[in-house]
PDB file of all heavy atoms in Angstrom:
ATOM      1  N   VAL A 675      27.315  23.767   0.385  1.00  0.00           N
ATOM      2  CA  VAL A 675      27.021  23.191  -0.832  1.00  0.00           C
ATOM      3  C   VAL A 675      27.672  21.808  -0.936  1.00  0.00           C
ATOM      4  O   VAL A 675      27.010  20.747  -1.275  1.00  0.00           O
ATOM      5  CB  VAL A 675      27.561  24.002  -2.061  1.00  0.00           C
ATOM      6  CG1 VAL A 675      27.396  23.307  -3.337  1.00  0.00           C
ATOM      7  CG2 VAL A 675      26.877  25.422  -2.024  1.00  0.00           C
ATOM      8  N   TRP A 676      28.994  21.729  -0.532  1.00  0.00           N
ATOM      9  CA  TRP A 676      29.655  20.480  -0.478  1.00  0.00           C
ATOM     10  C   TRP A 676      28.796  19.379   0.252  1.00  0.00           C
ATOM     11  O   TRP A 676      28.615  18.240  -0.070  1.00  0.00           O
ATOM     12  CB  TRP A 676      31.048  20.688   0.053  1.00  0.00           C
ATOM     13  CG  TRP A 676      31.870  19.450   0.443  1.00  0.00           C
ATOM     14  CD1 TRP A 676      31.531  18.128   0.288  1.00  0.00           C
ATOM     15  CD2 TRP A 676      33.188  19.399   0.951  1.00  0.00           C
ATOM     16  NE1 TRP A 676      32.513  17.291   0.727  1.00  0.00           N
ATOM     17  CE2 TRP A 676      33.515  18.085   1.117  1.00  0.00           C
ATOM     18  CE3 TRP A 676      34.100  20.444   1.233  1.00  0.00           C
ATOM     19  CZ2 TRP A 676      34.784  17.713   1.634  1.00  0.00           C
ATOM     20  CZ3 TRP A 676      35.305  20.025   1.758  1.00  0.00           C
ATOM     21  CH2 TRP A 676      35.659  18.718   1.915  1.00  0.00           C
ATOM     22  N   LEU A 677      28.619  19.712   1.516  1.00  0.00           N
ATOM     23  CA  LEU A 677      27.749  18.847   2.441  1.00  0.00           C
ATOM     24  C   LEU A 677      26.427  18.345   1.895  1.00  0.00           C
ATOM     25  O   LEU A 677      26.021  17.301   2.078  1.00  0.00           O
ATOM     26  CB  LEU A 677      27.688  19.461   3.815  1.00  0.00           C
ATOM     27  CG  LEU A 677      29.043  19.737   4.558  1.00  0.00           C
ATOM     28  CD1 LEU A 677      28.851  20.475   5.923  1.00  0.00           C
ATOM     29  CD2 LEU A 677      29.792  18.426   4.817  1.00  0.00           C
ATOM     30  N   GLU A 678      25.718  19.415   1.276  1.00  0.00           N
ATOM     31  CA  GLU A 678      24.423  19.047   0.729  1.00  0.00           C
ATOM     32  C   GLU A 678      24.561  18.090  -0.341  1.00  0.00           C
ATOM     33  O   GLU A 678      23.709  17.235  -0.570  1.00  0.00           O
ATOM     34  CB  GLU A 678      23.722  20.293   0.295  1.00  0.00           C
ATOM     35  CG  GLU A 678      23.214  21.242   1.438  1.00  0.00           C
ATOM     36  CD  GLU A 678      22.190  20.673   2.282  1.00  0.00           C
ATOM     37  OE1 GLU A 678      21.337  19.805   1.738  1.00  0.00           O
ATOM     38  OE2 GLU A 678      22.175  20.968   3.493  1.00  0.00           O
ATOM     39  N   LEU A 679      25.673  18.152  -1.064  1.00  0.00           N
ATOM     40  CA  LEU A 679      25.861  17.144  -2.218  1.00  0.00           C
ATOM     41  C   LEU A 679      25.965  15.777  -1.711  1.00  0.00           C
ATOM     42  O   LEU A 679      25.858  14.796  -2.466  1.00  0.00           O
ATOM     43  CB  LEU A 679      26.986  17.589  -3.105  1.00  0.00           C
ATOM     44  CG  LEU A 679      26.878  18.807  -3.985  1.00  0.00           C
ATOM     45  CD1 LEU A 679      28.177  19.334  -4.579  1.00  0.00           C
ATOM     46  CD2 LEU A 679      25.904  18.475  -5.108  1.00  0.00           C
ATOM     47  N   VAL A 680      26.314  15.607  -0.433  1.00  0.00           N
ATOM     48  CA  VAL A 680      26.491  14.384   0.219  1.00  0.00           C
ATOM     49  C   VAL A 680      25.192  13.995   0.858  1.00  0.00           C
ATOM     50  O   VAL A 680      24.742  12.769   0.721  1.00  0.00           O
ATOM     51  CB  VAL A 680      27.658  14.386   1.153  1.00  0.00           C
ATOM     52  CG1 VAL A 680      27.700  13.025   1.998  1.00  0.00           C
ATOM     53  CG2 VAL A 680      29.005  14.537   0.446  1.00  0.00           C
ATOM     54  N   ILE A 681      24.636  14.849   1.612  1.00  0.00           N
ATOM     55  CA  ILE A 681      23.527  14.530   2.431  1.00  0.00           C
ATOM     56  C   ILE A 681      22.225  14.221   1.751  1.00  0.00           C
ATOM     57  O   ILE A 681      21.513  13.165   1.954  1.00  0.00           O
ATOM     58  CB  ILE A 681      23.174  15.683   3.479  1.00  0.00           C
ATOM     59  CG1 ILE A 681      24.332  15.873   4.398  1.00  0.00           C
ATOM     60  CG2 ILE A 681      21.853  15.475   4.258  1.00  0.00           C
ATOM     61  CD1 ILE A 681      24.264  17.102   5.224  1.00  0.00           C
ATOM     62  N   HIS A 682      21.927  14.956   0.688  1.00  0.00           N
ATOM     63  CA  HIS A 682      20.666  14.764  -0.141  1.00  0.00           C
ATOM     64  C   HIS A 682      20.528  13.426  -0.742  1.00  0.00           C
ATOM     65  O   HIS A 682      19.645  12.611  -0.492  1.00  0.00           O
ATOM     66  CB  HIS A 682      20.575  15.825  -1.215  1.00  0.00           C
ATOM     67  CG  HIS A 682      19.924  17.090  -0.697  1.00  0.00           C
ATOM     68  ND1 HIS A 682      19.216  18.021  -1.476  1.00  0.00           N
ATOM     69  CD2 HIS A 682      19.924  17.663   0.506  1.00  0.00           C
ATOM     70  CE1 HIS A 682      18.717  18.977  -0.773  1.00  0.00           C
ATOM     71  NE2 HIS A 682      19.227  18.849   0.538  1.00  0.00           N
ATOM     72  N   PRO A 683      21.504  12.880  -1.572  1.00  0.00           N
ATOM     73  CA  PRO A 683      21.470  11.642  -2.184  1.00  0.00           C
ATOM     74  C   PRO A 683      21.471  10.483  -1.206  1.00  0.00           C
ATOM     75  O   PRO A 683      20.841   9.471  -1.343  1.00  0.00           O
ATOM     76  CB  PRO A 683      22.603  11.618  -3.158  1.00  0.00           C
ATOM     77  CG  PRO A 683      23.585  12.509  -2.733  1.00  0.00           C
ATOM     78  CD  PRO A 683      22.762  13.651  -2.032  1.00  0.00           C
ATOM     79  N   THR A 684      22.295  10.752  -0.138  1.00  0.00           N
ATOM     80  CA  THR A 684      22.342   9.630   0.824  1.00  0.00           C
ATOM     81  C   THR A 684      20.934   9.406   1.519  1.00  0.00           C
ATOM     82  O   THR A 684      20.516   8.254   1.593  1.00  0.00           O
ATOM     83  CB  THR A 684      23.329  10.026   2.038  1.00  0.00           C
ATOM     84  OG1 THR A 684      24.569  10.318   1.486  1.00  0.00           O
ATOM     85  CG2 THR A 684      23.452   8.881   3.038  1.00  0.00           C
ATOM     86  N   ALA A 685      20.315  10.436   1.951  1.00  0.00           N
ATOM     87  CA  ALA A 685      19.035  10.392   2.601  1.00  0.00           C
ATOM     88  C   ALA A 685      17.886   9.896   1.689  1.00  0.00           C
ATOM     89  O   ALA A 685      17.095   9.146   2.037  1.00  0.00           O
ATOM     90  CB  ALA A 685      18.705  11.688   3.328  1.00  0.00           C
ATOM     91  N   MET A 686      17.927  10.431   0.477  1.00  0.00           N
ATOM     92  CA  MET A 686      16.794  10.165  -0.441  1.00  0.00           C
ATOM     93  C   MET A 686      16.980   8.917  -1.305  1.00  0.00           C
ATOM     94  O   MET A 686      15.992   8.448  -1.808  1.00  0.00           O
ATOM     95  CB  MET A 686      16.619  11.386  -1.376  1.00  0.00           C
ATOM     96  CG  MET A 686      16.198  12.642  -0.728  1.00  0.00           C
ATOM     97  SD  MET A 686      16.028  14.139  -1.756  1.00  0.00           S
ATOM     98  CE  MET A 686      14.563  13.526  -2.756  1.00  0.00           C
TER      99      MET A 686
END
Side-chain angles (χ1 to χ4, degrees):
V675 175
W676 169 359
L677 295 174
E678 290 294 329
L679 287 171
V680 172
I681 294 172
H682 275 210
T684 303
M686 295 179 67

